[in-house]
Amino acid sequence: EHYSFWRNSELNKEIKAVTVVLESFNGLMKTERIIHPGLRDQLHYTIEALLMPLSVEEKEAGLVSNIEEGVSLIGATVSDKIAFVTLSSEFLSSADISQAADEINKTLAINLGTEGLVIIVDDNVLTRK
């Protein structure tokens, strides 16, 4: 019984709530997603939380994401408060790349205090915010 309590406590330490920005009928809206960061740092698990598919609750609340489902994070760094995010080529299929970049930019600003964003796909700089 003691081990079970300890194990559950350890698992709960690994649960992080990340505020993400998604599109809604009223413009961009903040919501929280839960992620198990494992050994990833806050930058990586914040982006990965944003890239997760929409939950049933988010869909019922009228939220959508302009980021194409299936986009994966290849790498990310922050330098001088500018986030450099490298994404898979699926990002190019996003319905509105500018709005998708806004979701990433605002999510990182809220969680990490970044002040700018550069998105790189297939070694090409797509957007600077």
Side-chain angles (χ1 to χ4, degrees):
E1 181 180 324
H2 177 70
Y3 174 77
S4 175
F5 175 78
W6 174 84
R7 183 72 183 133
N8 287 336
S9 296
E10 288 300 304
L11 287 174
N12 287 335
K13 284 182 190 175
E14 288 294 308
I15 296 173
K16 300 284 185 191
V18 177
T19 301
V20 298
V21 177
L22 299 171
E23 186 77 24
S24 75
F25 298 120
N26 302 323
L28 294 177
M29 184 177 133
K30 292 186 267 187
T31 188
E32 283 200 343
R33 288 184 171 173
I34 303 299
I35 191 164
H36 297 271
L39 299 175
R40 298 164 291 183
D41 60 31
Q42 187 176 3
L43 171 62
H44 286 79
Y45 74 68
T46 298
I47 297 169
E48 288 173 359
L50 180 60
L51 297 178
M52 291 168 48
L54 292 171
S55 67
V56 171
E57 294 83 10
E58 289 169 336
K59 289 177 184 176
E60 287 174 353
L63 297 174
V64 296
S65 178
N66 286 296
I67 301 170
E68 180 70 21
E69 195 168 312
V71 172
S72 58
L73 175 64
I74 295 171
T77 61
V78 174
S79 178
D80 296 326
K81 294 194 175 191
I82 306 295
F84 294 85
V85 177
T86 304
L87 299 171
S88 64
S89 59
E90 289 84 1
F91 185 75
L92 298 173
S93 299
S94 297
D96 186 332
I97 290 176
S98 178
Q99 284 294 103
D102 279 349
E103 291 174 12
I104 296 168
N105 191 35
K106 290 181 175 152
T107 296
L108 292 177
I110 290 167
N111 290 282
L112 300 169
T114 58
E115 296 176 358
L117 171 69
V118 175
I119 295 178
I120 303 158
V121 176
D122 295 334
D123 294 326
N124 295 308
V125 175
L126 285 189
T127 183
R128 294 173 194 256
K129 297 258 176 211

